[in-house]
Amino acid sequence: MYYQLALVFVCAALGAWVSIPAVIRLAREKGLLDYPDVRKTHFIQTPTLGGVGIFIGFILSFTIFSTYDTNGHQLLGIIAAVIFLFFTGTKDDLVPLPPLKKLLAQLFAICLATFKGNVWLHGLYGLWGIDALPPVLAYTLTFFVYVVIINAVNLIDGINGLAGSLVFIGTLYLGFWFTLHDVQYLAVISFAVSGSVLAFLYFNFRTQAQVFMGDTGSLVLGFLLAVLCIGFIEHAHQQQVYSPGVAPAMAMAVLAVPLIDTVRVFIIRVMNKRSPFSGDRNHLHHSLLNAGFSHLQASGFLLVFQLLVLSSVSFLPDNAMHIHLYALIFWGIVLHLLLASLEKRHRLLIRQQSAASQQKTKHQKASSQPPAA
């Protein structure tokens, strides 16, 4: 099994690594570029559709190495949803779709994964003392979780290397977990995603990105990450790996940075009496850029923070009810306060430099004036 999963990873990485340069050339030839504007953080025209290369690497490895004997029905539902979201994201990258149409497309894909793929949450698994839920509430919860994760990945995709590196860490962690607990079909999905994303990061995680993943990549990756997290919660519960309430919290730890970012910007927008769905520059990566970080420094900072949260929560004892959830809330508050402090310190530094520059200019003007007769 380990040998096969290594091949899954390598095949996905090679498929994406070979495909992405062709995607970049095609995007430049056809003018399929992402143009800078006031909300974006890049300054030159950059090819989008990097998600096409991610999709090619993933689908190639997934179809070659998946086994359809025991989980064929589920895999067909998942792959149908991935293909549908791939074309939705591609359409949105070429001709932007209205938000409502994108949401409807997501809901259709979620239906395929939930009812055809049978990947859905049956309850809260001990979180807040709640276990199983009535079917209507369970399906509602499932749809909500899918939508939140898909859009959290989309929202965090704002600077070079950030979304891809967070997805890579999350899927690699889940891939090893599924391998250790013998959930082969989800392990194959995990390593196919992580391999294709690693190849994409070669072209994206640099000072000047050669390509962006676009909505083609963020929709597909967000959906697959949601499938893996829900599958993780389900199988952890079935195998009784954790105490009640721990599995959902561990899944949230895998998604710590995207979820903290989503919750944070929604709270800020509501406090500012704006629609929580309106665009702005209040994301975590925007705060780091405002604090003087470069793209790579900001991505590296949030990647280290994600690893810190995931490792710290993983080693917590699971005999204390909700300690993992409280730890996640603690880390979210710490990150928010740290970013606010860094921004404040940078603004103070800029004011001091500006004042010193003005004082120097006044001194130069005064010294250059001829003495009075």
Side-chain angles (χ1 to χ4, degrees), residues 28-40:
R28 291 196 177 278
E29 290 173 2
K30 301 299 181 181
L32 305 176
L33 307 173
D34 192 10
Y35 295 88
D37 61 31
V38 294
R39 284 182 51 209
K40 296 177 180 177

Side-chain angles (χ1 to χ4, degrees), residues 301-350:
F301 179 93
L302 292 173
L303 180 58
V304 170
F305 179 81
Q306 173 67 64
L307 290 170
L308 176 63
V309 173
L310 187 55
S311 58
S312 65
V313 174
S314 297
F315 290 107
L316 287 174
D318 68 349
N319 55 358
M321 181 65 73
H322 295 151
I323 187 174
H324 298 75
L325 184 61
Y326 297 147
L328 290 174
I329 296 172
F330 165 79
W331 281 119
I333 295 172
V334 166
L335 181 59
H336 174 73
L337 295 176
L338 178 59
L339 293 184
S341 175
L342 289 172
E343 284 189 275
K344 182 179 179 180
R345 182 167 175 257
H346 187 67
R347 286 195 298 267
L348 178 61
L349 180 62
I350 290 176

Side-chain angles (χ1 to χ4, degrees), residues 194-244:
S194 58
S196 59
V197 170
L198 181 63
F200 166 78
L201 287 172
Y202 174 81
F203 302 95
N204 178 255
F205 203 163
R206 51 181 69 195
T207 303
Q208 179 52 56
Q210 295 184 24
V211 66
F212 297 149
M213 70 169 63
D215 275 12
T216 308
S218 64
L219 287 179
V220 168
L221 293 178
F223 170 78
L224 287 171
L225 198 53
V227 167
L228 293 173
C229 286
I230 292 173
F232 164 79
I233 295 171
E234 287 288 315
H235 286 280
H237 173 72
Q238 291 172 9
Q239 299 183 24
Q240 297 182 343
V241 179
Y242 304 112
S243 297

Side-chain angles (χ1 to χ4, degrees), residues 6 12 87 110 122 156 191 197 242 262 270 303 319 326 345 360:
F87 284 109
I110 294 168
H122 296 73
I156 205 69
F191 285 112
V197 170
Y242 304 112
T262 301
V270 170
L303 180 58
N319 55 358
Y326 297 147
R345 182 167 175 257
K360 183 178 179 181

Side-chain angles (χ1 to χ4, degrees), residues 33 54 60 259 300 318:
L33 307 173
I54 294 174
L60 179 67
L259 290 182
D318 68 349

